[in-house]
Amino acid sequence: MRPLIAGNWKLHGLARQLGEIGAMASSLSVNPPATDILICLPATLLARAALAVAGRIAVGGQDCCSEIVGAFTGDISAEMLRDAGATAVIVGHSERRQHHQETNALVAAKVVAVWRTGMMAIVCIGETLAQRQAGETLAVCADQLACSTPDDIGTSLLAVAYEPLWAIGSGRTPDQDEIVEVHQRIRQCLVARWGAAAKPVRILYGGSVGSANAHEILMLPEVNGVPVGGESLNVRDFEKICRSVPAGASRIKN
Ligand code: PGA
């Protein structure tokens, strides 16, 4: 399975940074690392970023509307993102769940909207610190995964991002065996639900991943990639993370 490194610029990014993104895409095309590379940008930058990277890396959205078209002022549909050049969309990021009260059911509807356009949906799940301390991590993640994904199969266009809320932007990560334990449970849930069709689903670990720890996290069993927030804003650091994919990562695991 080819790993996926997915930058997430969140509420950052102006047109003046497009040159840096284009330069990074060119640099990564020389001796390219064996990984899929995606940067999820503000919607305002997508079309120009797609031109700047010229297919050398992928660009994606950070959210989309669950509706396809209609009277939804200010919303952006999956089709609009695709039209701007996106090939993937993050859905159900914990910041959307927390600040915009997004429910599992809404996230599942967004996944359907993304799949309709043929794009990949990166569905985020993860526990709070209180849930981890109460020993609820595995149950919370299994429940979020089950309820944030639709039943109808679309697994070749699905990635699951396990992002503990307390690890995002905090500089803290779970221990390696804790990451592996959650990823193994996610894989079990996927296989129990979708059987062999779940095989291509990548499970990403996100939350304080940077150039200092990406390599060791990407080496872990059942870790098929990483979403990167803060450290993706500096394109040099992001390139370092992309280049830290272990040689043969797609062969030695799973
Ligand atoms: P972080 O964010 O890398 O800044 O912790 C990760 C994310 O929110 O996806």
Side-chain angles (χ1 to χ4, degrees), residues 108-116 121 123 145-158 190 193-194 197-198 201:
K110 291 184 178 198
V111 175
V112 174
V114 172
W115 283 350
R116 264 189 92 252
V123 177
L145 177 63
C147 301
S148 304
T149 45
D151 278 330
D152 282 345
I153 200 87
T155 50
S156 65
L157 294 174
L158 174 66
L190 292 170
R193 186 155 170 210
W194 285 307
V201 178

Side-chain angles (χ1 to χ4, degrees), residues 14 28 39-40 48-49 51 56 61 83 114 128 134 136 147 153 155 160 177 179 211 221 231 236-237 253:
L14 296 172
L28 280 165
I39 308 190
C40 296
R48 285 171 291 174
L51 286 176
R56 291 170 296 200
D83 190 45
V114 172
T128 62
E136 294 168 1
C147 301
I153 200 87
T155 50
V160 177
D177 50 356
I179 295 176
S211 49
E231 282 224 19
R236 288 204 181 143
D237 290 341
K253 293 193 296 179

Side-chain angles (χ1 to χ4, degrees), residues 55-75:
R56 291 170 296 200
I57 61 174
V59 295
Q62 301 175 10
D63 176 46
C64 69
C65 185
S66 59
E67 300 291 336
I68 291 156
V69 72
F72 300 99
T73 301
D75 276 329

Side-chain angles (χ1 to χ4, degrees), residues 70-250:
F72 300 99
T73 301
D75 276 329
I76 296 178
S77 72
E79 191 177 13
M80 289 168 184
L81 295 174
R82 200 180 85 128
D83 190 45
T87 57
V89 185
I90 298 170
V91 286
H93 191 284
S94 61
E95 288 152 15
R96 302 286 318 169
R97 293 177 186 262
Q98 277 180 299
H99 305 315
H100 299 270
Q101 289 75 46
E102 292 198 2
T103 60
N104 288 330
L106 179 65
V107 175
K110 291 184 178 198
V111 175
V112 174
V114 172
W115 283 350
R116 264 189 92 252
T117 68
M119 291 192 290
M120 175 174 60
I122 302 174
V123 177
C124 303
I125 59 173
E127 82 284 1
T128 62
L129 188 57
Q131 288 166 333
R132 173 161 286 273
Q133 286 166 343
E136 294 168 1
T137 299
L138 295 177
V140 165
C141 291
D143 181 65
Q144 275 188 345
L145 177 63
C147 301
S148 304
T149 45
D151 278 330
D152 282 345
I153 200 87
T155 50
S156 65
L157 294 174
L158 174 66
V160 177
Y162 166 54
E163 303 199 288
L165 273 65
W166 52 273
I168 294 175
S170 67
R172 295 163 61 206
T173 62
D175 295 340
Q176 295 191 354
D177 50 356
E178 291 171 336
I179 295 176
V180 173
E181 184 185 32
V182 178
H183 280 230
Q184 282 171 340
R185 174 58 66 90
I186 293 170
R187 180 65 64 194
Q188 280 166 6
C189 293
L190 292 170
V191 170
R193 186 155 170 210
W194 285 307
K199 276 200 165 166
V201 178
R202 287 181 283 201
I203 306 172
L204 319 179
Y205 168 76
S208 295
V209 176
S211 49
N213 62 3
H215 180 84
E216 67 199 37
I217 290 172
L218 286 162
M219 288 288 287
L220 298 175
E222 291 291 5
V223 174
N224 312 120
V226 286
V228 184
E231 282 224 19
S232 70
L233 291 171
N234 179 321
V235 293
R236 288 204 181 143
D237 290 341
F238 188 63
E239 181 171 351
K240 265 193 226 157
I241 293 168
C242 296
R243 292 203 179 279
S244 69
V245 170
S250 51

